[in-house]
Amino acid sequence: PFVVTENCIKCKYTDCVEVCPVDCFHEGPNFLVIDPDECIDCTLCEPECPINAIYPEDDVPAGQEHFVALNAELSRDWPVITTRKEPPADAKDWEGKPDKLPLLER
Ligand code: SF4
Ligand code: F3S
């Protein structure tokens, strides 16, 4: 499956959700995750993210391997999202910032 990684936290542009043919994106307060049991590896979402936060499970950036388990865990708790919405007003300020994991809201 594909995995949403750290750069999505507090950016949450949601461009990714509309292309998914199997509706496997789930939305939390400031982050999105992919349900690994639903993802069919179609690859359509990966180029949609303007800040390259989506990777195949086998190609997650070094140091972000824990996001694989985090996507699986949070997709069980969070509701499905299929429609794009406005990103947070300060999303641009958070693009590419390191160490955003402590800012993840559940
Ligand atoms: Fe959905 Fe395809 Fe992305 Fe998997 S790879 S989350 S099926 S758009
Ligand atoms: Fe996040 Fe990128 Fe989707 S910022 S919400 S993975 S478009």
Side-chain angles (χ1 to χ4, degrees):
F2 279 62
V3 175
V4 184
T5 61
E6 186 159 24
N7 207 19
C8 178
I9 297 172
K10 290 183 77 72
C11 290
K12 199 182 164 188
Y13 286 114
T14 67
D15 297 296
C16 52
V17 305
E18 299 216 348
V19 298
C20 183
V22 293
D23 297 350
C24 52
F25 282 90
H26 293 247
E27 183 190 19
N30 64 5
F31 184 51
L32 252 58
V33 292
I34 291 168
D35 182 344
D37 294 331
E38 297 291 333
C39 176
I40 57 171
D41 286 326
C42 76
T43 77
L44 289 176
C45 58
E46 187 180 14
E48 291 299 315
C49 178
I51 54 172
N52 299 314
I54 303 176
Y55 292 86
E57 180 175 355
D58 295 344
D59 201 22
V60 166
Q64 295 201 43
E65 295 82 0
H66 49 285
F67 276 87
V68 175
L70 198 57
N71 275 243
E73 178 197 337
L74 295 174
S75 65
R76 288 193 288 268
D77 299 337
W78 289 349
V80 169
I81 173 173
T82 57
T83 309
R84 191 184 175 280
K85 59 164 71 170
E86 281 305 305
D90 61 349
K92 268 244 165 282
D93 300 339
W94 291 98
E95 287 184 10
K97 288 268 166 66
D99 306 321
K100 291 197 280 184
L101 186 56
L103 304 172
L104 174 67
E105 297 171 33
R106 300 195 176 222

